[in-house]
Amino acid sequence: IPAVTQIVGLLIFGSADRLFGSYKTPALIGGALTVALLAGLALAGTLPPSVLIVWLAAFGLCTAFNPVVIAHGKSLFPARLVGRGMTLLNMGTMGGAFVAQLLSGVAIDLFPQVAGAYPTAAYRLVFALQAACLVAAKLTARSSIDRWLEELPARAHDRATGERLATTIAAALVTAEPG
């Protein structure tokens, strides 16, 4: 369920910067919704199956804000340093995933296993920690520069170039002889 709703979310968040005229705004909205879902699960602990299905669908949808985060990150670097900048951001993403998994394991290990399983309280703590880390990241992101407006001319040029290319390809296909 979350995989399907994340695909839908990617389509929504992928163009959200144009709707909001900003990279930061949709990224902050996606982050805030994700925090709310994680905090809600941390508070609730266990969800009935029907509510869990809705939660999983919402979680997949709300966590799909990565395209605007990447676009925002790309906009922070001058053209000559975009490759290095994106490498740095990707290293941060992978490093963050490592740290999040490490801290989650440490947090869960604070609780003794009962009959071979960790208690619900352990998972509630992990969801609360994930929400807290995301809050810290989003508070930091609030102070970042949003260069969406500065990139409008380049995006318009890229779109016009893409349209010319599509027209040329379509014309070539129409005039191509079969066989």
Side-chain angles (χ1 to χ4, degrees), residues 54-149:
V54 172
W55 187 91
L56 287 169
F59 190 73
L61 185 76
C62 294
T63 58
F65 61 93
N66 197 44
V68 286
V69 172
I70 297 298
H72 185 208
K74 182 181 175 216
S75 75
L76 298 176
F77 299 100
R80 64 185 182 78
L81 295 176
V82 166
R84 291 178 185 168
M86 295 309 294
T87 299
L88 176 66
L89 291 176
N90 284 326
M91 287 173 57
T93 300
M94 293 299 127
F98 165 77
V99 171
Q101 291 175 31
L102 177 71
L103 293 179
S104 294
V106 169
I108 282 181
D109 280 341
L110 295 174
F111 296 83
Q113 290 187 18
V114 178
Y118 290 102
T120 303
Y123 294 98
R124 292 175 79 174
L125 175 61
V126 168
F127 290 125
L129 287 172
Q130 294 292 325
C133 288
L134 192 51
V135 165
K138 292 302 156 188
L139 288 174
T140 302
R142 284 182 54 207
S143 64
S144 66
I145 299 166
D146 194 345
R147 294 203 166 111
W148 189 86
L149 287 174

Side-chain angles (χ1 to χ4, degrees), residues 38-64:
L38 288 169
L41 191 57
L43 292 172
T46 304
L47 301 175
S50 58
V51 176
L52 180 60
I53 289 170
V54 172
W55 187 91
L56 287 169
F59 190 73
L61 185 76
C62 294
T63 58

